[in-house]
Amino acid sequence: MLLEIKNLHVKYGNVEALHGVNIQVDEGEIVTILGANGAGKSTTLLAISGLVSVTSGQILFRGDALHRMSADKIVRAGITQSPEGRRVFSTLTVRENLNLGAFTANDPGRVRKTLGWIYELFPRLEERREQLAGTLSGGEQQMLAMGRALMANPKILLLDEPSLGLAPILVRTIFDTVREINRSGVTVILVEQNARVALKLAHRGYVMEVGNIVLADSADALLSDADVQNAYLGGKK
Amino acid sequence: MEEFFHQLTNGLAIGGIYALIALGYTMVYGVLKLINFAHGDLFTIGAYLGLTLLTSLSLNQYLGAFLGVLLLAVMVMGLVGIIGIILDRAAYRPLRQSPRLSAVVSALGASIFFQNAVMLIYGARYKFYPQGILPRIALNILGVDIPLMRILILLTSVVMMVALYLFIQKTKVGTAIRAAAIDQGAARLMGINVDRVIMIVFLIGPALGGVAGLMVGLYYGQINFTMGWVYGLKAFTAAILGGIGNIPGAMVGGLLLGVIEALGAAYISIAWKDAIAFCVLIGILIVRPTGLLGERVAEKV
Amino acid sequence: MSLLTLNKLTKKFGGLTAVDNVSFDADAGSVVGLIGPNGAGKTTVFNLITGNYQPNGGDIIFDGQSVAGLLTHKIVSLGIARTFQTIRLFQNLSVLENVLAGCHCRMKSGIFGGMFCTPAQRREERDALKLALRELEFVGLRQDAEQLSSNLSYGNQRLLEIARALATKPRLLILDEPAGGMNEQETDSLIRLIRRMRERGLTILLIEHDMGLVMEACQKLVVIEYGKKIAEGHPEEIKENPRVIEAYLGTDEDE
Amino acid sequence: MQNLPKRYIVYGILTAVLLCAPFFLNRYWVDVLNNVGLYAILGLSLNLIVGHTGLFNLGHAAFYAVGAYTAAILNTMYHIPILWLLPVCGITAGLFAGLVARPIIHLRGDYLCIVTIGVGEIVRIALINNVFDITGGANGIFGISRPELFGMKIRKPDEFFYLIWFFVAATIFLFHRLEQSRFGRALNYLREDEVAAEGSGINTAHYKLATFMLGAAWAGMAGNIYAAKMTIISPESFNFWESVVMFTLIILGGSGSIPGVLLGAFLLIGLPELFRGFANARMMIFGAAMVAMMIFRTQGILPPLPRKFPIDKIPESEGTP
Amino acid sequence: ADTIKIGLMAPLTGKWANEGQEMKQVVDLLADELNAAGGLLGKKVEVISEDDAGDPRQGALAAQRLSTQDVVASVGTYGSSTTEATQGIYDEYEIIQIANASTAVRLSEKGLPLFFRSCPRDDEQGIVGAKTLIKAGYKKIALLHDNTSYASGLATEIRNELEREGVKPVFFEALTPGEQDYAAILTKMKGANPDVVFFTGYYPEAGLMLRQKKEMGWNVPFMGGDATNNPDLIKSAGKDAAAGYMLVSPPVPGDLDTPEAKAFLDAFKKKYTGQPGSIWSVLAGDGFNVICEAIQKAGTTDTKKVAEYLKTQMKDFPGLTGKLAFNNKGDRVGDVYRIYKVDAGGNFVLQQ
Ligand SMILES: Nc1ncnc2c1ncn2[C@@H]1O[C@H](COP(=O)(O)OP(=O)(O)OP(=O)(O)O)[C@@H](O)[C@H]1O
Ligand SMILES: Nc1ncnc2c1ncn2[C@@H]1O[C@H](COP(=O)(O)OP(=O)(O)OP(=O)(O)O)[C@@H](O)[C@H]1O
Ligand SMILES: CC(C)C[C@H](N)C(=O)O
Ligand SMILES: [Mg+2]
Ligand SMILES: [Mg+2]
C-alpha cells in the first residue's frame, strides 16, 4: 500500500467537512474521486498535502504519518498537487513558476530535462515563458499549474480538476499525459467533474457524498453502476 | 552651485537612513502584506541596545573603533532580529488569516507597547552615545566637507540593498520568499517551509531596522524613545515612493525622499519641507499609482 | 436584426495581439457561442465589450450605439451584463445582497434618500427586493437568499452570478465559461436555464469549452484562434469544420 | 431572528444608563464620556470610509481639523454662533475632501493609506505655518465662544454631554439607515470586489468619492463641536496620532458595525483612563491590550451582523420576471 | 477632609515625559518635607498628580480630574498650549492654577483671577534676548524657531524687539522638532551668512545643531532661549561643540545660591541621586511652595482669599529660584532672566 487514508476527519472552523474518509492507493494506480460539489474531494487532497489540518484519523504514506508532517516535508516525500483554482504565482513569470515547482529537486540536470518535457507537452507555456502568470488565460494557467506539479517528478501526483477550462483538444492531451506519466511509474489521484473521462482513465474510483466515501470499486464497475450513472454521468447516454 | 551640491549630500545622507529602514519595512510588507508600524520602534530598540552594549562591553577599546563597531552592529542586528521574530509570533502570527486591517491595528498596538517599554526601561530622558567612538573625519568632495560617517551610512545602505536584492532574486531562499509573498498555500505546495520563510523575513527586516538605529545613535549621538515613530513614517513613505515590496524601490524611495526634503528645505521653506515631500509623493503616485519602480501587478478579469 | 456588432476589434498586450480584427454580430434573441483554444482571446473579447479593457482598434456597436471605450458601469446600465470566468461574487455578503448589487444601476435614491428614508426610496427598495427575489427564484436559489454567498456550492455560485447579472435588466448577457466546474447534471440544468433566459427575450453571448452545452444551446458559433476569427456559423457546420477540428476539437479517437 | 429583541433590550438599557450618567458620575468621568462621544462620531464617520468601503484612510484628522478651524475662524472673526456653523463646517470639510480625494481615489490599499497620511500631515503643517494668516499658527485659535442652545449657554461637561450624545444618536440613526440603503450596500460591494461591483453596474469611482466626502463632512461637524467644547484649538490636536486613534477604534470595535464602533470608542478612549493607576506603565499596558484584543477577536469585538430583509413579506411569484 | 489636596498637572508621559517626571519628583519631595515639618494648618498635604501627556485634550481631562478631587490649587503645567486648554476649567471650579513653565504671554492677559505662574513670560525673555544680541554688536542676526507655540512666540517677540531697534533679522524660519538631521537647515542658514544664530526652540534640537554645525566647519556663534537650559544640551552637542553657546534663562538649578535652594538640592540629591536637570521642575517646586505658604498665611483654603494673599501680601517670598511675588495678573515680578555661556568644560556659566 502506497498511501492509506484512515478514518480522516477535517474541520473548517466548527464545521466538519470530512467525516471519516477511508481511501487506499496502491503503487502505480490511477485513482479517481468522484462526487458532487462540496462533497469534500478537494478537502481530501488538501489534507494529503498538509494544507488543511487533520482533526483526527491518519494519512500514511508507505507507513509514514503524513498527517503529522508539515506541507513542505510532504512535498519532499514526493507528493505534489495541482490544486483547485490553479493558484499560480500571479506576479511571477511562467518560467519562475515552473522553477518553483522544482523547489525541492536537487538534480539540476533532471530538472532541465523535465522542463523540456513540459514545454513539449504544453508548447504554449514555452511561448509565454516570460509572461506573468497572472495575465495568462484561464486555460493557460491550468496548464501551468499542472506543469508546475510535474516539475518535482513526484511519486504521487494529486490533480484537482485538471481539465477545468481547457479546450477539448487539450483535455485529451492532459488525460493522455496522465496516462503516460502513470505508465512511467507515478501514482495519480484524480478529482474530476468529468466523471466519464475520469473513470475511463482510472483503475479504481471512490464516490464521495457530503464528507463520506459511499462507494469504492474498480473504474469499470463504477462506470456501469446504475447509481453512479444517474448521479454523475448525466444518466444513460 | 556649491550649496546645491552640499544640500544634495545632506539629502543623500539622511536618505540613506530612510532607505535602510525602508528596506526592512519593504521586506516584511512584501511577504505578509503587513504594514509593520512597529518597525520604527524596532529601530529605536536597535539604537538603545546599541548604546547599552557599547557602554557595557566597550568593544571598541579591545578591538579598535571599526572592528568594535562592526561587531556591535552584528550583535544589534541579531538581537533586534530575535525581537522581530518574537513580535511576529506574538502579535502577527495569530492574525494571518484575519482581515488585513486587524493586523495593522495589532502592529500599532505593538508599536505603542515597544515605545513605552523602552521608556520604562531606559527612562524618558534623552540618551546620549559617548562621543568619538568613530573618528569624526570629513572628506572634502568638490569643495564640500562631508563627514565620513555620512558616507559610511550611505554606503551601508547601498551594500545592504544590493546584498538583499541578490539574496531575494538569486538564492533559493529568496525565491521561496518571493513565492510565499504571493500565495502562502501554493508556496507550501511547492515544498516551501513558509513558517521558516516568515521567520527569516522577520529576522532580516527588523535587523536592518536595528542596525539603522545603531548608526543613527553613533552618528547623531542623541536618542529618544519616541524617535522611531518619525523615522518609521518616513521609511514607510520611502518604501511606498519606490514601490512597496520592491527592494531597489525602497532604496530609491529613501534616497529620493531625503533629497526632496533637503532641497525643499533649502529652496522653498524649511517649515514646509515635510509637506513638500508629501506633495511630491502624492504627485508621483498620481502619475505612477504603484510607486516609482512599481509593484508587479497581474490582475486579470 | 443584430443587437451587438463587433467591427474589426483589436486588442494588444505589449507585443502580443490578443484580439486581432475580430468582427461578428449577435442577433437579438439568439444565443451565440464564442469558442476557441485556450488563450485564443475569448475572455479578452468579453472584457472589451464590457469595458474592462479599452480596445486598440475597431468598434463595438450595441443597439446602434458605439460602446467602445465607455466605462463598465455605464455599459451595464445600457443593457449589457456579464459573469466572470473565475467566479467573482461578493464573498462576505449574502446571496440576496449579491443580487441586489445588480439592481443597483436601475435605482435612483442617493445619500439623502437613504438617510431620511423618503417614501420614494422605500418604494424603490421594495421593488428592488422583489426583483432580486424573482431572479433568485428564476435560477432556483430563492431558498438560499439569506446564506452567505461563499457557502454556496460551486455550481450554485455560478447561478448566483447569473442572477446578479439578470438583476441589471440586461438585453445582452455575457457568460464566460458558465459550466466550468459543473458536473453533467448541473450542466444540463444550465442548458435549460439558458433556454429560459432566451425565452425571456435575452440575447446571450457565451464562452464554453463544454461542447455538449455549446451544441445544444447556441444558434451560432464564432471560433477564434490566436486572436483571429477562423470560422463562424451554425453549430453543426462548425463541428465538421476541419480547421476547427484541428485547432480546437481534436479528433475523437476513443469513440 | 429570536435574539433580535434581546439585543435591542440590551441596547435600550445601555442607552438609559448612558442618559443618566451625568447624575451619578463626577464631572471628570462625564468629560471622559464626552470625549468618547466625540470619538464615536469621528469613528462612525471614518467607518463609512474604512469599514464600509474598505478605503484605507489614516488621515481623517485632516477633515476634522478643517471643520474645527472653519468653526473657529468664522466664530472668532464674524461672531457667528458656533452651532449655526455646523452645516458650514460639514460642507467645507466635505468639499475639501472632494478636492483632495479626486486625483488619488483610484490608488489601491496602502498607497491610498500613505497619501491620506500625507494629506493629514500637509493640513497640519499648513495650520502650524499659519496658512493664509488665519489659522493662528502653532498657537491655534482661542476665544471661541461657547455654544448656545435655546437661550442656554453650554459650558459644563454635563451640558456638553447631552449635546454631544444627541449628535451621536443622530449620527447612529442616520448612518444606520444609510447602511440599509442602496448607498450603503454599494459601499460594501466595492469593498468586497471592485471589478465585480463595476461589472454589476456600480459607478465605483463615484461612490468612493461620495463616501470620502460624506465621512469627511461628518468629521468636519465633529470638529465644530470639538472647537466649541475646547474653546481653543491648535494644530497639535489634529496630528497623525488622532487619525490612528480613529482608525484603531473602528477595527478594534468591529469594522463596519455601528455598535462595534461605539464600543471601540469606549475602549480606546475609556481604557487608558482606567489604566491611570498604572502611571508610567499605562500606555505600555494599553499597547499590549490592543494586540491582545485583536488576537482575541480578529474580526473586531462586535463585527457587523448581516443585513435583514423582509423576505417573508414577498410571496413567491408565478412566472418569469 | 483631613488633608489639604494640591494638584500637580504634568506631562508624565509623552514627549515631555522627562520634564514631567522630574516635576513630580520635586513636588513630592517638597510635600514630604512639609508634612514632616507638620503640614499645613495642622493637616497633611496630599499631592495628587495627573498626567497631561503634554497634550491639550489630555490636559483638559487631567484638569477635570483634579477639579473633581477637590484640590485647592493645581501646580503646572509645562506647555503653554496645554495650560491654556485647562485655564477655563480651573476658573470654572475656582481652583488656583500656578503654571511652572508655561511662558506664553497671553495666558495671564485674560484676566483670570486665580491664574498664576512661577515662571517668567516670553515678552520679558524676548526683550532680554534682543538686548543681549544688540549689546554684543551683532548686525546680521538669524532667528530660528521650531514652530511650537512657545518657540514661535518667542522668536516673534525677539524679532519685534530687534526691529524696534532698527535691526532686521537676515533669516527667520522654523525647523521641524523631533528630527535628528538638521544639516539641510544649517546649510541654508549658512547661505544667509549671519553673525549669530538665535534659536528659540528646545535643547535636543539645539544640541544636535551645535554638533552638526561644528562638523560642517561653520563656526558662527549660537544663542538660545530658556528652553535650551538643560544639561543634556551639552551631552547632545559634546563639550567642544557646545563651548561658547549662550542662552537666556532663569538660573540653572546649580546656580541657585539661596540657602533654601542649597538645602533643597541636597535633599533632592539624597532622595533621587543627582541634580534636577531642569529649572522648570524647580519652578514647579516654587509654585507648590508659594501656594502652601499662602494657605498657611491666609489661614484658609478658600481659593479667593489665597489668591488675594498671593497677589497683594506675598512679598519677597524666599523661593528656590529666588524671591517671589506676583503682580495683579498673576505673573511673577522681578527679573528672573540671566545670561549663560557654556565654557570649555561644558558648564553653564552665569555671565556678569
Ligand atoms: N476554506 C473553507 N472554509 C470553510 N468551509 C470550507 C472551506 N473549503 C471548503 N469548505 C466546505 O467544505 C466542504 C467540502 O468542500 P470541498 O471544496 O472539499 O468540496 P469538493 O468536493 O472539492 O467540491 P467542488 O466540486 O465544488 O470542488 C464544503 O461544504 C465546503 O463548503
Ligand atoms: N493583461 C494581459 N497581459 C498580457 N497578456 C494577456 C493579458 N490578458 C490576456 N493576455 C493573453 O492574451 C491571450 C488571450 O487571453 P484570453 O484570456 O482572452 O484567452 P481565452 O480565449 O479566454 O482563453 P481560455 O479559454 O483559456 O480562458 C492569452 O494568451 C493571454 O496570455
Ligand atoms: C521654555 C518652555 C518651558 C516653555 C513652555 N514649553 C511653554 O510652552 O511655554
Ligand atoms: Mg473541489
Ligand atoms: Mg477565458
Side-chain angles (χ1 to χ4, degrees), chain D residues 4 11 17 24-25 35 38 47 63 72 91 93 142 162 203 237 250 304:
Chain D
L4 209 87
Y11 290 161
V17 170
F24 58 86
L25 288 180
N35 282 333
L38 215 49
N47 185 37
F63 311 126
I91 290 168
F142 43 91
Y162 289 104
N203 185 346
S237 305
I250 293 174

Side-chain angles (χ1 to χ4, degrees), chain A residues 128 131 135 137 139-140, chain B residues 300, chain C residues 38-44 85 209:
Chain A
R128 295 298 163 81
Q131 188 173 330
T135 64
S137 84
E140 290 164 345
Chain B
K300 190 164 176 291
Chain C
N38 295 112
K42 306 178 293 296
T43 302
T44 309
Q85 179 167 1
H209 291 302

Side-chain angles (χ1 to χ4, degrees), chain E residues 7-13 16-17 19-21 23-24 50-56 58-60 62-63 66 74-87 90 96-104 107 115-120 202 280-281 283-284 287:
Chain E
L8 171 68
M9 186 170 75
L12 297 174
T13 60
W16 299 117
E19 292 279 355
Q21 289 175 10
M23 281 164 67
K24 183 163 152 49
E50 291 295 345
D51 178 18
D52 63 44
D55 163 65
Q58 298 258 7
L66 287 172
S74 164
V75 178
T77 183
Y78 187 74
S80 294
S81 37
T82 313
T83 299
E84 185 154 17
T86 63
Q87 281 182 303
Y90 290 124
I96 294 181
Q97 178 177 24
I98 181 154
N100 66 310
S102 302
T103 51
L107 296 180
F115 179 78
F116 295 86
R117 57 180 145 194
S118 56
C119 56
Y202 293 75
W280 309 107
S281 59
L283 283 166

Side-chain angles (χ1 to χ4, degrees), chain D residues 178-237:
Chain D
L178 199 59
E179 270 179 14
Q180 302 301 322
S181 76
R182 168 179 184 257
F183 184 84
R185 287 194 302 270
L187 303 184
N188 291 170
Y189 298 141
L190 72 108
R191 174 191 65 198
E192 293 293 313
D193 185 338
E194 235 178 272
V195 174
E198 186 79 19
S200 306
I202 292 163
N203 185 346
T204 50
H206 167 83
Y207 276 98
K208 282 194 201 173
L209 203 59
T211 182
F212 233 93
M213 290 176 70
L214 181 62
W218 227 268
M221 292 198 272
N224 174 304
I225 295 182
Y226 176 75
K229 176 171 176 287
M230 298 298 281
T231 70
I232 143 175
I233 55 171
S234 64
E236 277 320 300
S237 305

Side-chain angles (χ1 to χ4, degrees), chain A residues 86 124 127-128 131-141 143 165-167, chain B residues 298-301, chain C residues 12-14 16-19 35-47 53 85 176-177 207 209 224 227 248:
Chain A
R86 299 153 194 159
R124 180 52 72 94
E127 225 172 86
R128 295 298 163 81
Q131 188 173 330
L132 296 189
T135 64
L136 291 177
S137 84
E140 290 164 345
Q141 290 186 15
M143 301 174 212
L166 290 186
Chain B
E299 229 220 324
K300 190 164 176 291
V301 183
Chain C
K12 296 187 175 129
F13 294 111
L16 173 80
T17 309
V19 177
I35 60 173
N38 295 112
K42 306 178 293 296
T43 302
T44 309
V45 169
F46 277 18
N47 282 333
Y53 292 155
Q85 179 167 1
D176 197 345
E177 291 191 31
I207 296 175
H209 291 302
I224 57 177
Y248 181 64

Side-chain angles (χ1 to χ4, degrees), chain A residues 36-43 45 84-85 160-161 191 193, chain C residues 154:
Chain A
N37 276 305
K41 308 178 294 290
S42 301
T43 306
L45 294 197
E84 185 174 43
D160 200 341
E161 304 194 21
V191 167
Q193 290 297 347
Chain C
Y154 193 83

